Amino acid sequence: MEARENQGGAAPAQRPDEAVSLPVTGMSCAVCARTIERTLLAVPGVAAAGVNYATNRATVKFNPSLVSVPDLVEAVKGVGYDVLPVTAGQQADDTAIDTAEQRVHEAEYRRLRLKLVVAVALASPIMAIGMAHLEFPGVHWVELALALPVVVYSGAQFYRGAWASLRHRNADMNTLIAVGTGAAFAYSVAATIAPPVVAHASPGMPHVAPAVYYEVSTAIIALVLLGRLLEARARGRTSEAIRRLLDLQPRSARVIRDGVEIDVPAAQVLADDEVVVRPGERIPVDGEVVQGTSAVDESMLTGESLPVDKSPGAMVVGGSVNTTGGFHFRATRVGREMTLQQIIRMVREAQAGRAPIARLADVVSGYFTPAVVSIAILTFVVWFDVLPPGARLATALVNFVAVLIIACPCAMGLATPTAILVATGKGAEKGILIRGGETLERAGAITTVVLDKTGTITRGQPDVTDVVAVGADDREVLRLAASAERASEHPLAQAIVQAAEARGLVLDEARSFEAFPGRGLVAEVGGRRVVIGNEQLMRDQGVATEGVQAQAASLARAARTVMYVAASVGESPAPAVVVGLLGLADTSRPESAAALRRMKALGLEVVMITGDNEATAQAIAREVAPDGEIGRVIAGVLPDRKAAEVRALQERGRVVAMVGDGINDAPALAQADVGIAVGSGTDIAIEAADITLMRTDLGGVVDAIALSTRTMRVIRQNLFWAFAYNVLGIPIAAGALYPWTGWLLSPMIAAAAMSFSSVSVLTNSLRLRR
């Protein structure tokens, strides 16, 4: 959310500023949000404040030495709104507050529904009497009796809201509705109780019974309530993402304490507790598997549909589902530190965000209501002045009411936040965490994507890509190498062992193991002396390599790390000869090529940046982008130069997204217009990024950009229709078309149009859920 800096002078902070998110109840339009915002900014000690009408949240940054959370709550209550209980330093229990907010929302929905039922039940016969022009003794008294409960009960919230605004010298949607319906009702009551007085107010027709407009006031209240009911239902749907995420955490967990297996509430699981998970159960907290194997469905957190195999040493995430075997794990992150809770917090903060494009609607809505009241008064004066005496009072009043009702700026207030609410929630479901509206707007304008190679385009770990046998079987070459490397912890050694195990090879025990750092090792395998390493080690061990130089050079040109494998013909200490070569490389992710094609289809310029040498970088680029999807390769780049390369692109007018996963990517992620961290990356990279992908699939980058582009398109559509609606609606309601067409806009039609304009904006935003 855009924070608005307090312009007033504040005392020097004695303690660091704190932030709190206040769940506000009672807001009915965007002007309410601005009223609360201005009120909070006027409180001494408040550094910044922003209020989001769509989420009913007020985010406040304040100096705790000068003001407390209860003071902030009292300030909000002082202007006629209420706040659910919270504590400083963010909420103590986000789940409890979300639950309380949901209860308040459901209770408000039920109240609105009851008020609507009463309004429709009583307004319907009034409408029937008016439309049928029924005349019988006491007809107006019957209409008054029917209208009174509608105005006093169903419409009471509008009048209370208008009075609260008036007391604080503000005007909002409630003001427009209350003045419009109140004027029509008051006129009708006067015409019912003292018809001669009203009749004499129209010179020239003192003996004609004045018309009443009970159907106008009651129908408007019913239609506005219908619009608010539909709006409340649609806004509830926009918040489903948070609720679904909250539902992912189970209520209880099974832990082992003092050797006894017991059930405890999930919130009471402690770090280092041993937790037991059975097939089909949700994992309660984050942890590390210590016993058992299984496959875990992490789709609601990462967007990946396939279960992930878990064995001792693997990490599990709270909220994911154990699908097959049972296992035990040690709790590592609990409570607010859980990955799921961090995601929920990030999504909530994003949904509270306000895109820069919203500033126009923000400014307009702040001045809109006073301007509308002025236009409505002018409309009344003009019509009262130009019409003949017998019709001017009634017609001027009807047009006055129509202008007030049709001009409510709710649609403008909902245009941006509802789209951000839906988009960030949908992104979270797909494993794409977006920090807020400003990020969405910037991401929608991206022209250049800079991709770090290692861990982003590639897996970030070596694999055996080539086995070249020289006078031996390639399986035997790999078996000898893996047997010798089993005792080594070097990443290349582990890659060789994993390749052998993947082929089902049976490995021997290595003896007389001797490592040569930076070169390789020598070991005894099955009685044979085995030497494995680079060319330097071969020379040092007296192994001739002339016969395989051509094959080694070919592997090197293909950006492979070349490992020579030599073994004695007989038992050690017979001399070793080269029996084969191994080529290892950091291979590309299988989905990278498809993602790059999608980027090209979107018209994005793609740049690959890496600290590797030019040959390796070009080889990877040719492998994943054979059709030239990568337009430029920058190799041999140190971390500080990565940020400089991003800055150079920006200076050329490009809107740059940087995609990376490592600590050395953090400066570039921060420099870019939009930093995107892949989920397999470090916490530092994720912290520096604007968008975090919970999965390692590079396609998530394209999904994030596409979602941002669609969101901005929806926001522009919402704002266009909201502005166009008011720009066109107000003149029509004022009677601008009457001289040419004879058309006057009924206040009831104006009320229906006003209500459904807000619903249309919400419905348009909900399209993003698809």
Side-chain angles (χ1 to χ4, degrees):
M1 178 179 349
E2 174 195 11
R4 305 172 189 275
E5 299 300 325
N6 192 349
Q7 302 299 315
Q14 300 173 22
R15 289 162 53 189
D17 283 349
E18 292 183 3
V20 67
S21 182
L22 304 176
V24 181
T25 61
M27 286 194 289
S28 59
C29 67
V31 180
C32 299
R34 283 184 59 82
T35 299
I36 297 170
E37 197 171 82
R38 286 196 300 267
T39 300
L40 289 169
L41 286 171
V43 176
V46 172
V51 182
N52 190 312
Y53 169 47
T55 59
N56 292 320
R57 291 279 181 129
T59 302
V60 189
K61 186 178 180 182
F62 64 99
N63 183 343
S65 301
L66 301 176
V67 64
S68 65
V69 172
D71 295 333
L72 301 175
V73 171
E74 285 304 312
V76 174
K77 289 182 176 180
V79 288
Y81 305 93
D82 203 0
V83 180
L84 297 177
V86 292
T87 59
Q90 289 295 336
Q91 292 86 338
D93 187 347
D94 291 331
T95 303
I97 288 181
D98 280 301
T99 303
E101 282 185 309
Q102 187 173 349
R103 284 199 300 268
V104 169
H105 176 80
E106 291 171 351
E108 177 62 21
Y109 185 84
R110 288 193 296 271
R111 282 195 296 271
L112 281 172
R113 187 171 56 192
L114 179 59
K115 290 180 178 181
L116 176 62
V117 169
V118 171
V120 170
L122 297 178
S124 296
I126 299 175
M127 293 283 292
I129 291 171
M131 294 176 68
H133 302 290
L134 296 179
E135 295 291 341
F136 54 85
V139 62
H140 292 342
W141 287 98
V142 171
E143 290 180 292
L144 174 57
L146 292 170
L148 193 60
V150 176
V151 174
V152 173
Y153 170 69
S154 297
Q157 64 193 71
F158 305 128
Y159 302 107
R160 283 197 301 267
W163 174 245
S165 295
L166 182 64
R167 284 191 298 114
H168 295 93
R169 300 187 183 91
N170 291 316
D172 58 16
M173 174 183 172
N174 291 316
T175 307
L176 301 179
I177 296 171
V179 172
T181 59
F185 182 74
Y187 173 85
S188 302
V189 170
T192 301
I193 296 175
V197 175
V198 176
H200 279 85
S202 299
M205 301 187 69
H207 304 296
V208 177
V212 294
Y213 296 97
Y214 291 117
E215 74 275 12
V216 170
S217 56
T218 56
I220 287 173
I221 289 173
L223 286 166
V224 173
L225 286 173
L226 174 61
R228 286 201 176 178
L229 190 73
L230 294 173
E231 181 183 317
R233 183 178 179 181
R235 287 172 68 188
R237 291 170 62 196
T238 63
S239 302
E240 282 179 5
I242 287 285
R243 288 198 293 274
R244 280 199 294 267
L245 288 170
L246 288 169
D247 290 341
L248 290 180
Q249 186 169 10
R251 297 182 182 276
S252 63
R254 192 174 296 105
V255 301
I256 297 176
R257 290 178 180 168
D258 299 324
V260 179
E261 191 175 300
I262 60 173
D263 288 338
V264 299
Q268 294 180 15
V269 177
L270 305 176
D272 293 326
D273 269 346
E274 185 174 343
V275 185
V276 181
V277 183
R278 294 171 181 163
E281 293 182 340
R282 284 198 182 275
I283 297 170
V285 296
D286 295 1
E288 179 182 353
V289 177
V290 295
Q291 178 184 330
T293 59
S294 184
V296 175
D297 179 0
E298 298 178 342
S299 58
M300 281 301 293
L301 298 174
T302 65
E304 296 282 3
S305 58
L306 294 177
V308 181
D309 291 334
K310 302 293 182 181
S311 57
M315 303 305 296
V316 292
V317 180
S320 53
V321 179
N322 179 32
T323 60
T324 54
F327 62 88
H328 294 203
F329 72 91
R330 180 179 62 84
T332 56
R333 290 185 177 184
V334 299
R336 290 173 58 84
E337 299 305 314
M338 286 174 53
T339 301
L340 177 61
Q341 288 297 328
Q342 291 177 10
I343 291 172
I344 292 171
R345 200 151 52 242
M346 195 171 183
V347 173
R348 183 183 290 111
E349 289 169 359
Q351 292 185 340
R354 178 183 287 133
I357 196 174
R359 291 171 185 161
L360 179 60
D362 227 20
V363 172
V364 171
S365 62
Y367 298 98
F368 200 74
T369 301
V372 167
V373 172
S374 301
I375 293 171
I377 293 172
L378 179 63
T379 299
F380 181 91
V381 171
V382 170
W383 279 102
F384 191 86
D385 186 59
V386 302
L387 288 179
R392 62 187 183 186
L393 179 59
T395 304
L397 177 65
V398 168
N399 291 337
F400 168 78
V401 173
V403 170
L404 289 175
I405 299 303
I406 203 168
C408 291
C410 290
M412 277 190 287
L414 290 168
T416 299
T418 53
I420 292 173
L421 200 68
V422 178
T424 51
K426 185 64 178 177
E429 290 178 20
K430 296 296 183 183
I432 302 168
L433 304 182
I434 302 169
R435 287 198 180 274
E438 187 172 354
T439 296
L440 273 170
E441 184 164 342
R442 290 201 309 268
I446 288 170
T447 59
T448 301
V449 178
V450 178
L451 300 172
D452 177 54
K453 178 185 75 68
T454 306
T456 303
I457 295 177
T458 65
R459 295 178 182 274
Q461 58 188 26
D463 288 319
V464 175
T465 58
D466 303 89
V467 180
V468 179
V470 181
D473 179 71
D474 60 352
R475 291 173 60 87
E476 178 64 12
V477 172
L478 185 57
R479 189 190 71 81
L480 285 172
S483 298
E485 296 281 14
R486 284 179 72 181
S488 174
E489 295 181 354
H490 194 281
L492 294 178
Q494 293 177 359
I496 293 169
V497 174
Q498 289 170 3
E501 291 175 344
R503 297 190 185 193
L505 302 181
V506 178
L507 306 184
D508 291 334
E509 190 73 27
R511 299 176 182 274
S512 305
F513 179 91
E514 184 179 5
F516 298 88
R519 288 175 289 168
L521 59 86
V522 177
E524 186 179 314
V525 177
R528 300 173 65 184
R529 181 171 178 263
V530 176
V531 182
I532 178 170
N534 59 20
E535 188 176 8
Q536 178 64 49
L537 181 64
M538 296 298 120
R539 285 197 297 266
D540 294 344
Q541 296 295 316
V543 178
T545 60
E546 289 78 6
V548 292
Q549 288 299 323
Q551 294 96 320
S554 177
L555 289 174
R557 284 194 298 272
R560 304 296 191 251
T561 297
V562 181
M563 301 282 284
Y564 293 81
V565 180
S568 61
V569 177
E571 292 189 2
S572 181
V577 297
V578 174
V579 295
L581 301 173
L582 298 180
L584 294 95
D586 179 11
T587 56
S588 63
R589 298 185 185 277
E591 65 277 357
S592 293
L596 289 167
R597 287 194 295 270
R598 291 176 62 196
M599 290 182 195
K600 185 176 182 180
L602 289 175
L604 298 170
E605 175 190 9
V606 180
V607 177
M608 187 177 81
I609 192 167
T610 179
D612 273 349
N613 60 66
E614 183 74 23
T616 300
Q618 292 292 349
I620 288 291
R622 287 192 299 270
E623 179 185 337
V624 297
D627 297 326
E629 290 87 354
I630 297 179
R632 183 182 174 199
V633 175
I634 307 173
V637 177
L638 296 175
D640 57 345
R641 192 179 155 207
K642 286 185 179 181
E645 292 289 349
V646 170
R647 192 180 306 112
L649 287 167
Q650 291 171 322
E651 289 171 354
R652 286 167 42 201
R654 312 298 289 176
V655 180
V656 181
M658 172 68 197
V659 186
D661 76 326
I663 293 175
N664 60 355
D665 297 322
L669 289 170
Q671 173 64 42
D673 296 286
V674 179
I676 303 177
V678 297
S680 60
T682 66
D683 289 340
I684 294 176
I686 292 172
E687 186 65 28
D690 301 297
I691 297 174
T692 299
L693 306 180
M694 296 301 295
R695 61 187 195 267
T696 57
D697 182 355
L698 198 58
V701 175
V702 191
D703 292 338
I705 294 173
L707 177 63
S708 300
T709 302
R710 285 188 60 214
T711 303
M712 293 312 300
R713 185 162 61 244
V714 166
I715 288 174
R716 291 188 186 98
Q717 290 169 354
N718 286 349
L719 288 173
F720 171 79
W721 288 113
F723 280 121
Y725 163 80
N726 283 296
V727 168
L728 295 174
I730 292 175
I732 293 173
L737 299 180
Y738 184 79
W740 298 277
T741 64
W743 292 351
L744 287 176
L745 188 66
S746 164
M748 290 177 285
I749 296 176
M754 180 274 295
S755 297
F756 284 102
S757 69
S758 297
V759 175
S760 67
V761 164
L762 281 160
T763 304
N764 192 42
S765 296
L766 287 169
R767 291 192 304 116
L768 289 166
R769 296 172 69 195
R770 300 196 298 269

